[in-house]
């Protein structure tokens, strides 16, 4: 039978191996984002600063900065994030399929973007003015 000491250890939640893997993945993804920002000519440290990292993503994607306010609207933020990722991928010469990969498998597609030979192509979205 189980000893009380072992029973409490078994039900204490994720083990140390999980936390080591989790923190290693976080550090790796920060490194990857840093590399992508530098590749786009932006400061790499910007990836670890809240809100500023979204502003940098908007700049890389070629979207206006005021879109950051859309990120605070529930459900709208999901659509806006998808649009930003599609434009983000296109800014590096990738297609919509690659952007879908970035959405569903970010730990695979973001490193591909960071370490492949693609180059940042600055995009400018021109908003047409009504007559």
């Amino acid at each position: 039978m189980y000893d009380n000491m072992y029973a409490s250890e078994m039900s204490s939640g994720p083990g140390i191996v999980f936390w080591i893997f989790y923190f290693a993945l976080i550090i790796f993804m920060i490194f990857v984002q840093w590399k992508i920002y530098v590749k786009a000519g932006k400061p790499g440290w910007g990836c670890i600063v809240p809100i500023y990292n979204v502003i940098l993503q908007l700049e890389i994607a070629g979207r206006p900065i005021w879109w950051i306010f859309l990120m605070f609207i529930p459900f709208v933020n999901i659509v806006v994030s998808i649009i930003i990722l599609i434009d983000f991928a296109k800014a590096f010469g990738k297609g919509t399929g690659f952007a879908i990969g970035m959405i569903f498998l970010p730990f695979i597609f973001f490193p591909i973007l960071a370490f492949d030979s693609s180059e940042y192509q600055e995009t400018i979205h021109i908003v047409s003015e009504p007559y």
Side-chain angles (χ1 to χ4, degrees):
M1 289 295 190
Y2 291 109
D3 189 48
N4 285 337
M5 183 179 80
Y6 294 118
S8 65
E9 285 180 14
M10 291 176 59
S11 64
S12 64
I16 189 74
V17 174
F18 169 80
W19 290 112
I20 290 172
F21 179 75
Y22 180 71
F23 286 120
L25 184 63
I26 288 173
I27 291 168
F28 176 69
M29 291 305 289
I30 289 171
F31 175 72
V32 165
Q33 285 284 59
W34 192 300
K35 189 126 173 88
I36 291 171
Y37 283 27
V38 169
K39 195 177 197 182
K42 305 295 181 193
W45 56 266
C47 72
I48 57 175
V49 179
I51 299 178
Y52 183 57
N53 62 359
V54 178
I55 292 171
L56 290 178
Q57 286 180 357
L58 287 168
E59 289 177 358
I60 292 169
R63 292 293 176 172
I65 303 301
W66 65 263
W67 274 36
I68 196 162
F69 296 112
L70 298 175
M71 299 300 283
F72 294 107
I73 304 171
F75 301 109
V76 173
N77 60 358
I78 296 169
V79 175
V80 169
S81 296
I82 292 169
I83 293 169
I84 290 170
L85 276 177
I86 290 170
D87 289 342
F88 197 85
K90 287 181 180 178
F92 288 96
K94 306 293 184 187
T96 305
F98 192 86
I100 292 170
M102 291 171 71
I103 294 166
F104 292 110
L105 296 169
F107 48 87
I108 294 173
F109 283 85
F110 275 93
I112 290 172
L113 186 62
F115 298 111
D116 73 354
S117 62
S118 64
E119 294 181 11
Y120 175 64
Q121 306 154 1
E122 191 166 347
T123 56
I124 300 173
H125 288 279
I126 299 172
V127 179
S128 60
E129 297 293 326
Y131 294 107

